[in-house]
Amino acid sequence: MSYPQTSPYYLSSVVDGQFLDVMINRSVPKDETDSYWIITQTYHMRPDLLAYDLYNDSRLWWVFAQRNPNRLKDPLFDFSVGTGIYIPQLSNLKTALGI
């Protein structure tokens, strides 16, 4: 079993075809074209909705936490109204993640 390129587990191996090995974080590099944005009520605790609206793919919800590790320690509960995050451009994600 392998995970799709849009998954945060893509680089992590599967042991004996049954168990996910230790997670290997996927890097979402900083770039000068990243946008700074304040999370609004529409996206409160819903990074999947923001990923869908920005990238047309809700499976990329995890890139916000990877790009903002000091602000989003918990990718869901820290994704709250008023929190400022950096948002990577889709073109940069395509290059970095190979999607």
Side-chain angles (χ1 to χ4, degrees), residues 65-86:
Q66 286 298 100
R67 173 58 182 86
N68 300 277
N70 294 330
R71 297 170 193 250
L72 301 174
K73 302 233 184 261
D74 183 301
L76 177 61
F77 292 111
D78 290 341
F79 208 85
S80 59
V81 174
T83 302
I85 61 171
Y86 288 97

Side-chain angles (χ1 to χ4, degrees), residues 27-29 55 60 63 88-99:
S27 176
V28 177
Y55 308 131
L60 293 172
V63 301
Q89 299 291 321
L90 179 58
S91 58
N92 293 341
L93 286 181
K94 286 182 177 182
T95 300
L97 303 177
I99 57 175

Side-chain angles (χ1 to χ4, degrees), residues 15-29:
V15 179
D16 296 329
Q18 297 179 354
F19 307 102
L20 185 64
D21 203 352
V22 175
M23 182 176 175
I24 299 172
N25 283 329
R26 299 184 71 186
S27 176
V28 177

